[in-house]
Amino acid sequence: MAIRKIVTEGDPGLARKCREVKEINERIITLLDDMKETMELEFGVGLAAPQVGVGRRICIAYPTQDELLELINPELLEKEGEQISVEGCLSVPGYIGDVIRPKRVKIKYLDRTGKEIIREFTDFGAIVVSHEMDHLDGILYIEKATNVREAGDQTEINIEGEK
Ligand code: NI
């Protein structure tokens, strides 16, 4: 495994729609492993492939502290409700902002073995999954957020910024 460099706001790769993964080969598995190591080094709760310079539809997240989720080609099937989240992003270091996210999402994705999975996430899980899936469409949270401000002492919930 290896640490990958996280690109930041202004990198054109963060604004592009990522391409589907056609085949889960060794390069994809290595990417997933590297993303996990990179995210954990930065104490993140989520990371998307374009943040490490790879324009593929892959992201990882901790919907709870105990479960690492690996999403390949995730698709939103349903969303319901609203909640306000206070978010940060490893690609926008030092800032947080308020974002309206769905309260519940239902998604379809492939795991690293290529198995198709349909699952629902609520509350924090819905926030982190939505934030990471936005990255795959070239969307940063700061485009949706209000009251973007310096993160300060990070006492608030901070997506990607603090586990
Ligand atoms: Ni992010």
Side-chain angles (χ1 to χ4, degrees), residues 61-141:
Y62 281 104
T64 65
Q65 279 199 347
D66 309 323
E67 186 194 8
L68 176 68
L69 196 63
E70 296 179 327
L71 307 178
I72 300 169
N73 298 339
E75 285 174 51
L76 182 69
L77 300 178
E78 288 173 21
K79 63 174 178 176
E80 185 183 52
E82 282 187 351
Q83 58 180 325
I84 294 177
S85 65
V86 180
E87 300 184 15
C89 179
L90 293 174
S91 293
V92 191
Y95 290 87
I96 54 174
D98 304 329
V99 187
I100 297 172
R101 295 291 186 188
K103 181 83 175 150
R104 179 184 71 88
V105 294
K106 186 177 188 180
I107 62 168
K108 181 171 88 169
Y109 62 95
L110 302 178
D111 70 10
R112 65 161 64 203
T113 71
K115 186 178 163 203
E116 187 180 284
I117 295 171
I118 293 177
R119 262 184 79 176
E120 287 191 9
F121 295 91
T122 58
D123 302 307
F124 181 77
I127 291 170
V128 71
V129 163
S130 299
H131 178 117
E132 300 313 327
M133 285 176 65
D134 271 354
H135 275 297
L136 307 183
D137 289 324
I139 299 165
L140 294 178
Y141 86 92

Side-chain angles (χ1 to χ4, degrees), residues 38-46 90 158-163:
T38 305
M39 178 177 73
E40 290 183 349
L41 182 76
E42 301 292 338
F43 303 102
V45 292
L90 293 174
N158 192 1
I159 305 302
E160 283 189 12
E162 193 179 353
K163 191 180 168 186

Side-chain angles (χ1 to χ4, degrees), residues 8-26:
T8 52
E9 192 197 355
D11 183 285
L14 288 176
R16 269 185 219 126
K17 200 170 160 66
C18 296
R19 288 168 298 147
E20 240 182 59
V21 175
K22 299 284 186 207
E23 182 200 356
I24 302 172
N25 54 27
E26 203 155 309

